[in-house]
Amino acid sequence: ATEPYPVDPTLRARVLRARGRARLLRGRLDDALLDYRRAREHVSTGPLGAALTADIGVVHHQQRALDEAMDLYESALAGLAGSEALRLQARIMGNIGAVRHDRGQYDEAITHYRRALGLFAEVGDRRLEGIFWPIWGWWSSNSIGGKTLGFT
């Protein structure tokens, strides 16, 4: 069926992404995943395509499918190579740090959290930077198995 009013694929992707986020926040992971995948059918490249790939990674991460989440985060980050979307790169870098943490790869998690903090600071995003500073504070004052996690 032909639509009476053509819709820009980017607009359609943004609407589906917004609905996916709402569903994700309500714990409707399968529905969010469906929306993100449908959105990526409309836009699969550039910053929006990378953001959608990372969003799909977030759903897998919440489902504890860590390998899939990591693959998606790394793919999203690779899709931003040469991009000026530093805020998005920082968010993805933080997500990679979280997967590393969940896998018990604490040194790698710290490295990714540091990179994320540096990028957040570079773009002046105090809100997202504030999400990672408490994590960093926890890392720098705690240990696991006798190993100090934080660095100064």
Side-chain angles (χ1 to χ4, degrees), residues 4 9-10 13-14 21 28 57 62 78 91 97 101 105 115 126 129-131 134 141 148:
T10 301
R14 289 184 187 284
R21 277 191 195 156
R28 295 174 52 191
Q62 288 190 8
R91 185 174 67 96
H101 169 262
Q105 300 167 332
R115 288 181 187 159
R126 304 298 295 175
E129 184 181 3
I131 292 171
S141 63
T148 301

Side-chain angles (χ1 to χ4, degrees), residues 2-62:
T2 304
E3 295 182 25
Y5 303 101
V7 177
D8 173 34
T10 301
L11 177 60
R12 189 178 300 270
R14 289 184 187 284
V15 169
L16 285 164
R17 183 177 187 219
R19 187 171 71 178
R21 277 191 195 156
R23 288 175 164 178
L24 180 71
L25 290 172
R26 287 173 179 75
R28 295 174 52 191
L29 301 181
D30 291 335
D31 292 333
L33 189 59
L34 179 64
D35 283 339
Y36 291 148
R37 285 181 174 154
R38 287 182 60 210
R40 203 169 59 175
E41 290 173 7
H42 298 284
V43 177
S44 61
T45 61
L48 181 55
L52 289 164
T53 300
D55 291 340
I56 294 169
V58 168
V59 174
H60 285 290
H61 195 166
Q62 288 190 8

Side-chain angles (χ1 to χ4, degrees), residues 1-150:
T2 304
E3 295 182 25
Y5 303 101
V7 177
D8 173 34
T10 301
L11 177 60
R12 189 178 300 270
R14 289 184 187 284
V15 169
L16 285 164
R17 183 177 187 219
R19 187 171 71 178
R21 277 191 195 156
R23 288 175 164 178
L24 180 71
L25 290 172
R26 287 173 179 75
R28 295 174 52 191
L29 301 181
D30 291 335
D31 292 333
L33 189 59
L34 179 64
D35 283 339
Y36 291 148
R37 285 181 174 154
R38 287 182 60 210
R40 203 169 59 175
E41 290 173 7
H42 298 284
V43 177
S44 61
T45 61
L48 181 55
L52 289 164
T53 300
D55 291 340
I56 294 169
V58 168
V59 174
H60 285 290
H61 195 166
Q62 288 190 8
Q63 292 173 330
R64 309 306 298 161
L66 300 181
D67 291 339
E68 290 88 348
M70 182 62 82
D71 290 345
L72 287 159
Y73 293 150
E74 288 175 344
S75 174
L77 202 54
L80 291 171
S83 167
E84 295 182 14
L86 298 180
R87 181 176 286 115
L88 178 56
Q89 290 177 33
R91 185 174 67 96
I92 295 168
M93 195 67 65
N95 290 348
I96 291 172
V99 170
R100 298 280 190 200
H101 169 262
D102 291 347
R103 287 179 170 172
Q105 300 167 332
Y106 302 114
D107 291 336
E108 293 90 345
I110 289 169
T111 299
H112 285 88
Y113 286 141
R114 278 186 172 168
R115 288 181 187 159
L117 281 169
L119 289 171
F120 286 135
E122 187 175 333
V123 297
D125 192 330
R126 304 298 295 175
R127 182 184 59 86
L128 288 175
E129 184 181 3
I131 292 171
F132 288 95
W133 270 117
I135 294 169
W136 182 250
W138 183 88
W139 283 101
S140 59
S141 63
N142 288 280
S143 65
I144 293 180
K147 178 179 179 186
T148 301
L149 300 175

